Amino acid sequence: MMPRSALPGTLIAIAVLVAGFAAAFLIGRFPVSIGDIIAVLWSKVADGAADVPAATEAVILQVRGPRVIAAFLVGAALAVAGTAFQGLFRNPLVSPDILGASSGAALGAVLGIYFSLGVLSIQIFAFIGGLVAVTAVYLIGSAIRTRDPVLVLVLAGVVIGALLGAGVGLVKYLADPYNQLPAMTFWLLGSLAAANVSDLVPLFGPVLLGSVVLLALRHRMNVMSLPEEEARALGVPTGALRVAIVAAATLVTSASVATAGIIGWVGLVVPHLARSLVGPDFARLLPVSAILGGGFLLFIDTIARSVAQVEVPLGILTAVIGTPFFIWLLASVSKTWS
């Protein structure tokens, strides 16, 4: 049973998610009401015809519906991955972006686009790229012994991210300037504008698989927050557990990057917000992070397609929020992490 102290925070996260879904469906250039949404959904349940114009039904089911689901899955995946990475490395500053997972997945996905591969192959390339990047950052952080391992880990992530960014730049330089290059450039900024029903299956599978693995390991992740020797003394196979967590978190990150491009900062900001709501216990923190991350990206995506005549890339909006948050976090990390 959930502790009473965690219930208000969980309810707040659920309220954010419900509000995010409502805003994502209702706000847009084509007017849609709550009654229209209920009528269309009920018609599918009752296997009948909805009493709404055909254009309204098409907007709900074929335009906003897939995009809303994709935004929720991507936001939840990035938040869960960030929560797992922060717990695994016992470091509040890490996230899929800082550790290079997003950059590695981006390089793999860009290579897939460059070679005109299918969606599944692009996701495999993205997963391999993200896994290699996180492994490299972790090995560098482990090899360099200093008084400040947090700083070494962050700097290793910056260095590997810069190297992978150079690789992305090289692929863009070699790409077809009329077809591939514009597609790569817009995709790298982060967007769900092209999300459709066919994108949901290859996104849903890896996100569900990785999230289930992380949720199954939630109690052992609490033990991993202890020093290495204490965790081993409690019978936790830290080496195998670390590999499983990194693989699962990288899988959900790579699936998100392969679908929506690089959407930074979600994996850094949302876990801290979730931790402030329900505390550090991963049994509560992981699901609340997923709920809050999905709701957060639903709001960001709604703003991105509504605030101007031209859709604003998601990566730009999340950077506007995430950069000042990271600076504040960097200044206060030694006081608040527990």
Side-chain angles (χ1 to χ4, degrees):
M1 181 180 294
M2 180 178 295
R4 184 173 299 177
S5 59
L7 185 58
T10 304
L11 293 177
I12 290 174
I14 293 174
V16 170
L17 179 61
V18 172
F21 269 114
F25 269 112
L26 298 178
I27 298 176
R29 293 184 177 85
F30 192 94
V32 173
S33 68
I34 294 179
D36 294 335
I37 298 172
I38 295 174
V40 170
L41 295 180
W42 177 250
S43 70
K44 297 305 173 186
V45 175
D47 196 20
D51 186 20
V52 299
T56 302
E57 184 173 355
V59 167
I60 294 173
L61 294 180
Q62 300 173 20
V63 180
R64 291 185 191 167
R67 180 165 183 163
V68 166
I69 296 173
F72 167 73
L73 290 174
V74 170
L78 293 174
V80 167
T83 303
F85 280 134
Q86 289 177 7
L88 178 65
F89 294 108
R90 297 192 287 272
N91 188 327
L93 298 177
V94 303
S95 70
D97 319 308
I98 302 298
L99 288 177
S102 297
S103 300
L107 178 57
V110 167
L111 284 171
I113 295 173
Y114 178 74
F115 291 116
S116 302
L117 301 179
V119 175
L120 180 60
S121 299
I122 290 176
Q123 286 195 334
I124 293 174
F125 269 51
F127 174 67
I128 294 173
L131 196 60
V132 170
V134 174
T135 303
V137 170
Y138 177 71
L139 291 177
I140 292 173
S142 301
I144 301 176
R145 306 272 181 190
T146 69
R147 294 181 178 178
D148 195 344
V150 174
L151 180 61
V152 172
L153 197 66
V154 172
L155 290 178
V158 171
V159 171
I160 295 298
L163 179 62
L164 294 170
V168 171
L170 177 61
V171 176
K172 290 172 65 178
Y173 179 76
L174 298 174
D176 178 3
Y178 299 104
N179 295 318
Q180 293 177 323
L181 182 58
M184 289 179 184
T185 302
F186 186 71
W187 174 82
L188 285 170
L189 291 173
S191 175
L192 290 166
N196 53 50
V197 176
S198 62
D199 293 328
L200 296 181
V201 175
L203 173 64
F204 181 77
V207 169
L208 178 64
L209 176 62
S211 299
V212 167
V213 171
L214 293 174
L215 287 172
L217 298 174
R218 60 191 185 280
H219 295 296
R220 294 199 168 199
M221 291 173 70
N222 285 330
V223 181
M224 289 291 287
S225 63
L226 300 173
E228 184 86 8
E229 294 75 12
E230 293 185 30
R232 287 180 178 174
L234 292 173
V236 175
T238 55
L241 186 59
R242 185 174 291 110
V243 171
I245 294 173
V246 168
T250 304
L251 177 62
V252 298
T253 301
S254 303
S256 302
V257 172
T259 300
I262 296 180
I263 303 175
W265 303 104
V266 177
L268 176 69
V269 174
V270 173
H272 287 280
L273 297 178
R275 193 176 291 107
S276 69
L277 291 176
V278 297
D281 185 350
F282 283 91
R284 303 189 299 269
L285 183 58
L286 279 172
V288 170
S289 292
I291 294 171
L292 205 58
F296 176 76
L297 198 59
L298 281 170
F299 275 113
I300 293 294
D301 186 51
T302 302
I303 294 172
R305 59 182 173 78
S306 307
V307 72
Q309 291 295 324
V310 179
E311 185 165 320
V312 180
L314 296 177
I316 294 176
L317 289 177
T318 55
V320 170
I321 298 173
T323 301
F325 183 85
F326 183 79
I327 294 172
W328 168 81
L329 186 63
L330 195 64
S332 60
V333 59
S334 61
K335 305 175 183 176
T336 60
W337 181 252
S338 63

